[in-house]
Amino acid sequence: MSTPRDAEAATGDARAVAWRIVRAVHRDGAWTGPAVDRALRGSTLDARDRAFASNLAFQALRWEGTLDWALGHVVRRPLDDVEDELRDLLRIGAWQLLYGRMPDRAAVSATVDVARSELGARTVGFANGVLRNLARRRDALSWPAADSVDGRALRTGYPRWVVEAADARFGTDADRQLAAGNEPARLTVRAGDAVAVRAALTALGAQVRTGALAPEALYVEGIAPAAVLDAAPDAVIQDEASMVVGHAAAAAVPAGARVLDMCAAPGGKATHVAALGRKVTAADRSATRLGLVDDLARRLGQPVPLVVADGTRSPWRPGAFGGVLLDAPCSGLGVVRRRPELRWRRDVADVTALAALQRDLLAAAADAVAPGGALVYSVCTWTRQETVDVIGAFLSTHDDFVAEPMADGVGRAAEDVEPGRQLTPAEHGCDGMYLAVLRRRVDGVPDPAHRR
Ligand SMILES: C[S@@+](CC[C@H](N)C(=O)[O-])C[C@H]1O[C@@H](n2cnc3c(N)ncnc32)[C@H](O)[C@@H]1O
């Protein structure tokens, strides 16, 4: 829960920008990272206030459950009855009071200034009363027992169902894994020509380090993502975990083999596999999102064939591809460092529905794999249902496929007990990505009785 060292001095304008970012996420369904970029692009804040505004928005979205719980002790009516705009501002004030380093008086008055300027004089008395009340009662809040699920949810900043899902997957390591999801994600770049990209970014004053998990990964600090792309047009902003999947998909088939990326948009992995010398066909259910693949592939000078297709009703000829990559839609809990809002947007029922979709997609993807070919499954999450359970269920009904051991250096996992690999922010510093490589037997005749 770090705050910038000089947060005490941040202006009211920085808090107003943070509030606008939170509003964009809640009102428009925006993703936090792009909402921050958009808000800062048009602002006149200096570097220190930009950092403060960005951090405050991320923290208010991340800790929403705990902030609402605390506010519930000091707002006399149900918090849901408070208008959305004002509730978001109260969360911003509450985060400063619970976790910030600024004096209470400064946090309250600067937040109340935002109420006055953005929401009107009628909100000032209420905002002031609630936040002063919270500052007074903060140390007397009756927190649930630290080892209860409720207590851990409030202390780690996740809903109960995510804590329970983490327990089911990580056991005694659950709280460490959850805490790592609250750390800021580093900016990682996939560089076609790492030497040239490093030189271009260093010339702009950025600090550039070589990545740990993929040879084309660069860790970049001191420069905005948009400036990276201006300086290095052949660079792709992509987390290293996704690069690991790209390498696994490319390594699973011979050079020049045909690879179907069945859920390809916006194209990070498809363009990577193409850059690694495989003949990629990019498919996705969404024509609009497939346009993003086209834009990216063309920017990188390597266009790929595009097909709009619902993967569950596979239009592909059986065995048409040497490899199929299924980077399936998922709960996204592995990317909460960059999308803190996701944990509050999803629930257990979503995970169950997504796991069913993943199983259907995987079964359809398998049909398109040629004998001897590879089926690569990945999801940017870690729930048991969407990872090892999907692969376990698949292998139990597809005896013509076997799980393949991963090449050395591709993450770490208890492969003696789980198929595939789980990358996590806690262990690998990258997104929480699960991947498994399944090989279709050459001599295995698919048994129709095993197909769903
Ligand atoms: C996790 S994203 C893929 C990210 C992409 N592989 C990349 O690396 O940039 C999942 C994608 O699945 C697509 N999708 C969801 N349901 C689908 C379906 N039934 N058939 C095909 N694509 C689907 C979504 O439109 C979305 O673009």
Side-chain angles (χ1 to χ4, degrees):
M1 260 178 279
S2 60
T3 54
R5 193 178 290 278
D6 49 5
E8 295 85 348
T11 63
D13 288 348
R15 290 170 174 86
V17 169
W19 172 77
R20 277 183 220 124
I21 294 165
V22 174
R23 288 306 300 140
V25 171
H26 283 155
R27 186 192 51 221
D28 310 332
W31 294 17
T32 304
V36 168
D37 292 345
R38 268 194 299 278
L40 295 181
R41 211 175 298 141
S43 92
T44 54
L45 298 180
D46 65 18
R48 184 198 61 181
D49 276 2
R50 282 166 178 264
F52 178 79
S54 168
N55 182 59
L56 186 50
F58 266 94
Q59 300 286 25
L61 289 160
R62 197 174 277 149
W63 291 94
E64 191 173 299
T66 313
L67 302 175
D68 286 3
W69 172 82
L71 286 166
H73 286 72
V74 293
V75 178
R76 288 208 184 86
R77 48 184 147 130
L79 199 58
D80 280 350
D81 290 354
V82 176
E83 65 194 85
D84 295 350
E85 293 85 349
L86 186 51
R87 192 167 61 232
D88 279 341
L89 185 59
L90 293 178
R91 287 168 173 153
I92 282 179
W95 185 82
Q96 297 168 79
L97 293 173
L98 292 183
Y99 302 115
R101 296 185 197 166
M102 65 290 292
D104 290 350
R105 188 187 292 264
V108 172
S109 74
T111 307
V112 168
D113 284 349
V114 180
R116 185 177 294 109
S117 65
E118 303 288 333
L119 298 172
R122 72 189 166 79
T123 61
V124 166
F126 180 71
N128 192 43
V130 168
L131 294 178
R132 287 178 59 168
N133 205 355
L134 182 57
R136 244 193 334 271
R137 294 179 53 190
R138 175 185 51 207
D139 297 331
L141 294 175
S142 51
W143 291 79
D147 59 354
S148 66
V149 173
D150 283 333
R152 290 169 56 220
L154 291 175
R155 285 174 173 81
T156 57
Y158 290 85
R160 269 186 69 101
W161 74 267
V162 177
V163 174
E164 286 168 344
D167 285 345
R169 186 69 200 283
F170 298 119
T172 54
D173 200 27
D175 286 7
R176 185 178 77 100
Q177 296 288 348
L178 292 171
N182 288 334
E183 294 299 318
R186 57 161 83 94
L187 175 57
T188 308
V189 168
R190 189 180 95 220
D193 179 343
V195 175
V197 172
R198 181 189 287 268
L201 300 183
T202 307
L204 294 175
Q207 297 87 54
V208 182
R209 285 180 299 134
T210 305
L213 303 176
E216 55 281 83
L218 296 175
Y219 303 150
V220 181
E221 282 178 74
I223 186 169
V228 169
L229 298 182
D230 286 346
D234 66 337
V236 178
I237 308 286
Q238 187 181 39
D239 189 85
E240 236 182 339
S242 291
M243 297 185 219
V244 169
V245 174
H247 276 288
V253 295
R258 291 187 69 207
V259 174
L260 169 66
D261 185 345
M262 202 161 145
C263 295
K269 298 181 190 70
T271 54
H272 189 200
V273 176
L276 293 170
R278 277 53 177 179
K279 289 199 186 94
V280 174
T281 297
D284 202 279
R285 189 179 60 177
S286 162
T288 313
R289 286 175 57 76
L290 213 45
L292 301 174
V293 183
D294 199 33
D295 292 347
L296 178 59
R298 286 181 189 283
R299 170 160 79 74
L300 298 175
Q302 202 163 17
V304 295
L306 306 168
V307 181
V308 179
D310 181 337
T312 58
R313 292 186 220 120
S314 177
W316 321 106
R317 191 169 45 76
F321 295 91
V324 176
L325 169 59
L326 172 60
D327 185 37
C330 71
S331 60
L333 291 177
V335 297
V336 290
R337 294 178 309 166
R338 283 178 285 110
R339 295 197 58 195
E341 76 284 357
L342 264 181
R343 69 193 84 185
W344 308 110
R345 282 192 186 161
R346 303 256 197 255
D347 61 24
V348 162
D350 294 323
V351 172
T352 303
L354 284 160
L357 174 61
Q358 290 152 1
R359 286 195 298 271
D360 288 349
L361 286 166
L362 195 58
D367 286 337
V369 178
L375 173 54
V376 179
Y377 175 79
S378 61
V379 275
C380 56
T381 193
W382 45 256
T383 67
R384 183 169 287 282
Q385 275 175 287
E386 298 172 271
T387 58
V388 288
D389 284 358
V390 168
I391 296 301
F394 176 84
L395 290 172
S396 71
T397 53
H398 290 74
D399 55 9
D400 50 334
F401 279 84
V402 286
E404 198 154 86
M406 299 286 172
D408 279 353
V410 182
R412 184 205 69 83
E415 54 265 72
D416 48 338
V417 291
E418 292 184 352
R421 294 280 172 104
Q422 181 70 59
L423 298 163
T424 68
E427 275 149 298
H428 309 98
C430 61
D431 283 348
M433 179 83 70
Y434 173 81
L435 70 156
V437 178
L438 310 168
R439 177 76 52 192
R440 189 168 197 171
R441 295 180 208 271
V442 178
D443 55 352
V445 181
D447 177 357
H450 279 158
R451 297 304 168 99
R452 292 196 291 159

